[in-house]
Amino acid sequence: MEDCLFCKIIKKKIPASTVYEDERIVAFNDINPQAPVHILLIPKEHYASLNDIPEEKKDILSHLLLKAREIAREKKIAGKGYRIVLNTARESGQEVFHIHFHLLGGRQMTWPPG
Ligand code: AMP
Ligand code: ZN
């Protein structure tokens, strides 16, 4: 999508600190980290949010989640704990409308979220 920030990162028109990439997804460090580990995982296909993922594309969600788990292991936070966040639409705080999972870890999390 032309004017989507994360599509520009996928096309390498905007630089990002990439930690993983394959033919379907990209993972990169969040530019404004909220924890020692804060990585965003996105599909290369543009979908604005979870609300927009069609049923037949559901496999991309498990791929993103299991890759987040793998990165958590690599970053040595799997055992201690981590949080995966999927903000969806305006009231959740979603700001970039290209679906993304946040992988957060490396510090004690609090609950409830803000
Ligand atoms: P959300 O509020 O769930 O839409 O999250 C958007 C996230 O994208 C925020 O955590 C931002 O810090 C992050 N972000 C915005 N621009 C960039 C960028 N150019 N590179 C990496 N992360 C970004
Ligand atoms: Zn996009």
Side-chain angles (χ1 to χ4, degrees):
M1 203 189 169
E2 273 303 293
D3 58 353
C4 169
L5 177 66
F6 287 174
C7 283
K8 287 179 185 164
I9 285 177
I10 291 161
K11 290 177 190 149
K12 304 198 192 308
K13 289 181 181 166
I14 290 178
S17 169
T18 304
V19 299
Y20 176 80
E21 179 170 5
D22 65 25
E23 66 284 354
R24 289 192 287 163
I25 69 171
V26 184
F28 52 95
N29 288 306
D30 195 291
I31 204 166
N32 182 23
Q34 301 302 311
V37 175
H38 188 172
I39 292 168
L40 303 177
L41 296 100
I42 65 175
K44 287 187 171 177
E45 274 191 275
H46 178 93
Y47 298 104
S49 79
L50 182 62
N51 290 337
D52 303 285
I53 299 268
E55 184 72 21
E56 65 270 19
K57 296 287 182 177
K58 62 186 176 191
D59 287 0
I60 196 68
L61 298 171
S62 51
H63 186 46
L64 287 161
L65 271 177
L66 294 187
K67 190 54 65 177
R69 180 179 71 173
E70 194 177 312
I71 293 170
R73 285 185 187 138
E74 286 167 13
K75 297 288 180 185
K76 315 275 187 228
I77 56 171
K80 286 183 285 186
Y82 55 93
R83 185 173 291 175
I84 292 172
V85 173
L86 176 55
N87 292 326
T88 303
R90 194 169 35 86
E91 283 196 4
S92 73
Q94 186 178 3
E95 287 180 348
V96 178
F97 285 85
H98 180 129
I99 188 172
H100 51 281
F101 285 102
H102 296 252
L103 168 63
L104 296 143
R107 66 166 169 83
Q108 179 64 50
M109 300 289 162
T110 59
W111 194 264

